[in-house]
Amino acid sequence: DPKGGIFIGQDVLLEGDLVGIRASADMEGNWIVSGSTLSTRSGAEKSDVYVSKLLVGGEHLWTTLVSTPQNDTTATGMTVGDDGSVYVMTGSSGGSYLTRVGSCGKEEWSIGLGEDVGSWGDAYMTYCRDKVYASWTDTRNRSWLVQVGVNGSVYWTRLLGMEEGFVRGAVCDQAGAVYVAGQMMNASSDHQGYLMKIDCLGATSWGRALPLA
């Protein structure tokens, strides 16, 4: 677009710069792309969060703008369910939210999850056995892990207890256990890696500090 917007497919215009782009694929191999657009065309910075679905060959199916409570909302994480539904986490001065967008592009629900992602800027999300897991470090350097059902019910929330640490990844196994990796400050004030296993009920099975290189 000569005015600075970016077209997705034939008729959807996303205005501004694209940031925080994430891509994944559903069970049928379709591409799912999510991110934010930053625009100052109205004189004030405004951010929109979008989700797009494309076929394997690149044909655009749909793009949905996710409802956000604040103008400074940005996309911070995404995962895709077995049925093709997309779960997008967003953050702003008003806190963090998780939104489900159905496989046909319709927004189905949105729930608040607590404080916004801090300066580390990312939420790490994974999907397993009809549960969505989101892990992030907030603006007060507290790291969280949340289990949410596909209906939007929050089953449990855990404070991971790693002071001066931040989350760098999360993945689940077929039994529903979640492994969260990150960095923390050790007794010598050096950043050190850690890995934690949390079971499907939210109990910590173990935590390990990873050796420094």
Side-chain angles (χ1 to χ4, degrees), residues 161-181:
M162 292 293 183
E163 295 184 3
E164 299 299 324
F166 48 94
V167 174
R168 283 302 195 196
V171 66
C172 59
D173 62 23
Q174 290 302 310
V178 186
Y179 302 83
V180 178

Side-chain angles (χ1 to χ4, degrees), residues 198-209:
I198 296 94
D199 68 23
C200 61
L201 299 178
T204 300
S205 299
W206 49 259
R208 300 285 187 273

Side-chain angles (χ1 to χ4, degrees), residues 22-99:
R22 293 167 176 83
S24 186
D26 64 18
M27 297 290 285
E28 298 178 350
N30 301 308
W31 288 104
I32 308 297
V33 180
S34 178
S36 309
T37 64
L38 295 178
S39 173
T40 56
R41 293 179 65 181
S42 61
E45 187 173 278
K46 183 180 185 302
S47 176
D48 289 310
V49 175
Y50 67 91
V51 178
S52 294
K53 183 174 181 178
L54 301 92
L55 295 177
V56 177
E59 178 186 350
H60 174 260
L61 294 179
W62 49 257
T63 291
T64 295
L65 292 180
V66 176
S67 300
T68 55
Q70 306 285 335
N71 282 344
D72 61 345
T73 300
T74 57
T76 57
M78 179 189 74
T79 191
V80 182
D82 290 342
D83 64 351
S85 295
V86 185
Y87 300 87
V88 180
M89 190 163 166
T90 60
S92 71
S93 57
S96 291
Y97 290 82
L98 177 65
T99 300

Side-chain angles (χ1 to χ4, degrees), residues 131-134 145-149 153-157 176 200-201:
K131 303 292 190 302
V132 179
Y133 298 89
L145 176 65
V146 178
Q147 184 194 74
V148 181
S153 297
V154 177
Y155 293 121
W156 49 257
T157 300
C200 61
L201 299 178

Side-chain angles (χ1 to χ4, degrees), residues 102-185:
S103 60
C104 293
K106 180 181 178 181
E107 184 176 322
E108 297 179 347
W109 51 255
S110 184
I111 58 172
L113 289 182
E115 286 197 29
D116 184 19
V117 171
S119 57
W120 310 112
D122 288 307
Y124 297 90
M125 300 178 62
T126 186
Y127 176 94
C128 182
R129 300 174 64 180
D130 293 331
K131 303 292 190 302
V132 179
Y133 298 89
S135 188
W136 74 100
T137 301
D138 68 18
T139 54
R140 290 191 278 175
N141 266 14
R142 300 176 303 174
S143 295
W144 300 91
L145 176 65
V146 178
Q147 184 194 74
V148 181
V150 294
N151 60 355
S153 297
V154 177
Y155 293 121
W156 49 257
T157 300
R158 296 293 181 266
L159 179 63
L160 297 181
M162 292 293 183
E163 295 184 3
E164 299 299 324
F166 48 94
V167 174
R168 283 302 195 196
V171 66
C172 59
D173 62 23
Q174 290 302 310
V178 186
Y179 302 83
V180 178
Q183 290 179 275
M184 63 181 180
M185 193 81 75

